[in-house]
């Protein structure tokens, strides 16, 4: 049973455009929702995270939007740049981030110059 | 080192052979995790070590998989009698005091079973 569903599998965006990646979860015990960025040959790195008591969190060009009632959250990358081309994973954890992570299947983002 | 170090970076093995994958966590990190990343399947949790507590082995896919952590530092993931479906990238991560979302990942070991 896949507990975190991520879409799309791949995404091509022009430079300067907005990249949007969506995730949906099933387990209502999840209470921490991080996003990870992974470049080829590297391990995932934490990009931004949100708790369900807020509906939006912004860090630079990256924004997480969270809809608790719909059990959905999304990553928006504003002014997308070729250097943002990577695989992005959403994840979820319960116990305030002290439990192991459940990951989505990932989205390969390509930002064309 | 400054980050999580995994070795080898790549491993090709014949079906049926045993393999050992090594992880050196960040110094001082008490929590260590192993994940498996298969093509198009995201990251799958395998096992979690936290200090001196019994490890959480709930993610190990079969009894061919085992892991140990010696002296609260280095960890070894062992896969016995490897199968082709074991081919994947095996990622190790470590964190302070089990704060999972602040874990730092290594670059992974790409295992290919032929």
């Amino acid at each position: 049973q896949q507990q975190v569903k991520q879409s799309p599998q791949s995404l091509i965006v022009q430079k300067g455009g907005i990249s949007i990646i969506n995730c949906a979860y099933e387990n209502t015990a999840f209470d921490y929702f991080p996003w990870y960025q992974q470049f080829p040959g590297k391990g995932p790195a934490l990009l931004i995270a949100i708790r369900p008591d807020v509906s939006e969190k912004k860090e630079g060009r990256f924004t997480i939007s969270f809809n608790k009632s719909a059990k959905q959250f999304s990553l928006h990358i504003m002014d997308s740049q070729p250097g943002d081309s990577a695989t992005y994973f959403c994840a979820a954890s319960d116990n305030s981030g002290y439990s192991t992570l459940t990951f989505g299947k990932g989205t390969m983002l390509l930002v064309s110059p | 080192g400054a980050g999580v170090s995994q070795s080898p970076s790549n491993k090709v093995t014949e079906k049926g052979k045993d393999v050992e994958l090594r992880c050196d966590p960040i110094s001082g990190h008490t929590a260590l995790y192993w994940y498996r990343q298969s093509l198009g399947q995201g990251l799958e949790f395998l096992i979690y070590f936290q200090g001196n507590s019994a490890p959480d082995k709930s993610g190990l896919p079969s009894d061919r998989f085992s892991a140990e952590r010696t002296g609260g530092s280095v960890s070894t993931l062992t896969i016995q009698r490897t199968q082709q479906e074991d081919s994947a990238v095996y990622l190790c991560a470590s964190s302070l005091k089990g704060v999972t979302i602040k874990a730092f990942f290594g670059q992974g070991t790409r295992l290919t079973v032929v």
Side-chain angles (χ1 to χ4, degrees), chain A residues 25 30-35 48-52 64 66 73 91-93:
Chain A
Y25 64 97
F30 288 147
D31 60 4
Y32 218 106
F33 302 89
W35 284 88
I48 187 173
I50 195 168
R51 292 186 184 275
I64 300 179
F66 186 83
F73 58 110
S93 174

Side-chain angles (χ1 to χ4, degrees), chain A residues 32 36 38 43 89 97 99 101, chain B residues 35 37 45 97 100-101 105-106:
Chain A
Y32 218 106
Y36 289 82
Q38 184 180 30
F89 294 94
S99 295
L101 292 161
Chain B
Y35 287 86
Q37 184 174 20
F45 165 72
K97 301 178 183 179
T100 305
I101 65 156
F105 282 83

Side-chain angles (χ1 to χ4, degrees), chain A residues 7 11 13 15 17 29 38 49-50 59-60 69 72 90 100 102 107 111:
Chain A
S7 62
L11 181 61
V13 174
K15 179 182 176 182
Q38 184 180 30
I50 195 168
E59 290 185 1
S69 60
Q72 295 176 345
C90 62
T100 54
T102 300
T107 297
V111 181

Side-chain angles (χ1 to χ4, degrees), chain A residues 8-109:
Chain A
Q9 286 186 317
S10 62
L11 181 61
I12 300 175
V13 174
Q14 287 193 333
K15 179 182 176 182
I18 302 174
S19 303
I20 302 174
I21 304 171
N22 301 298
C23 284
Y25 64 97
E26 299 165 3
N27 186 349
T28 55
F30 288 147
D31 60 4
Y32 218 106
F33 302 89
W35 284 88
Y36 289 82
Q37 181 186 55
Q38 184 180 30
F39 293 106
K42 304 292 185 182
L46 179 64
L47 186 63
I48 187 173
I50 195 168
R51 292 186 184 275
D53 53 349
V54 297
S55 60
E56 186 176 282
K57 183 174 181 179
K58 183 176 181 179
E59 290 185 1
R61 295 184 294 107
F62 300 90
T63 299
I64 300 179
S65 297
F66 186 83
N67 185 330
K68 187 173 182 179
S69 60
K71 294 187 287 185
Q72 295 176 345
F73 58 110
S74 60
L75 176 69
H76 295 232
I77 306 175
M78 312 300 287
D79 187 26
S80 299
Q81 299 296 311
D84 297 331
S85 297
T87 298
Y88 292 82
F89 294 94
C90 62
S93 174
D94 58 15
N95 196 22
S96 299
Y98 278 82
S99 295
T100 54
L101 292 161
T102 300
F103 284 87
K105 292 190 175 183
T107 297
M108 292 183 61
L109 171 65

